[in-house]
Amino acid sequence: FPVTITLKLACEAGLAEWHESVQQHGFKFASLDNLERFAALVAAHEREACAKVCEEGTALTAFQSKDCYSYARNRAAAIRSRCSQGSE
């Protein structure tokens, strides 16, 4: 991950905070809940990135069958559904 994404996810999980006065991040003591939240956020970010890879090459064109298009779209949906099933 790029540092900016990692810091954004760390802030969202409560592991870091932005200090406007010094224009930098500060890190907090990591509780188990914070670490679990961070892991879930990272997993969700990775799932979305994988789903987008499936979709990016799926523009339906004259050179691609509808079956191939549908398969790729279904794979992206399956990846995203893992989040709603609670799988990490």
Side-chain angles (χ1 to χ4, degrees), residues 13-56:
L15 293 173
E17 59 190 359
W18 178 253
H19 297 284
E20 189 65 38
S21 61
V22 290
Q23 296 289 303
Q24 66 183 15
H25 283 90
F27 294 94
K28 299 178 179 181
F29 177 75
S31 70
L32 183 57
D33 288 341
N34 294 119
L35 291 173
E36 287 175 345
R37 175 79 178 128
F38 182 67
L41 289 167
V42 169
H45 183 80
E46 281 296 304
R47 275 193 303 275
E48 183 58 25
C50 291
K52 285 181 179 179
V53 167
C54 289
E55 291 176 335
E56 285 174 359

Side-chain angles (χ1 to χ4, degrees), residues 66-88:
K66 287 184 181 180
D67 289 340
C68 182
Y69 175 79
S70 294
Y71 180 80
R73 299 289 292 185
N74 289 339
R75 295 301 92 211
I79 291 167
R80 287 187 178 108
S81 75
R82 287 183 55 92
C83 183
S84 63
Q85 295 171 4
S87 300
E88 298 303 331

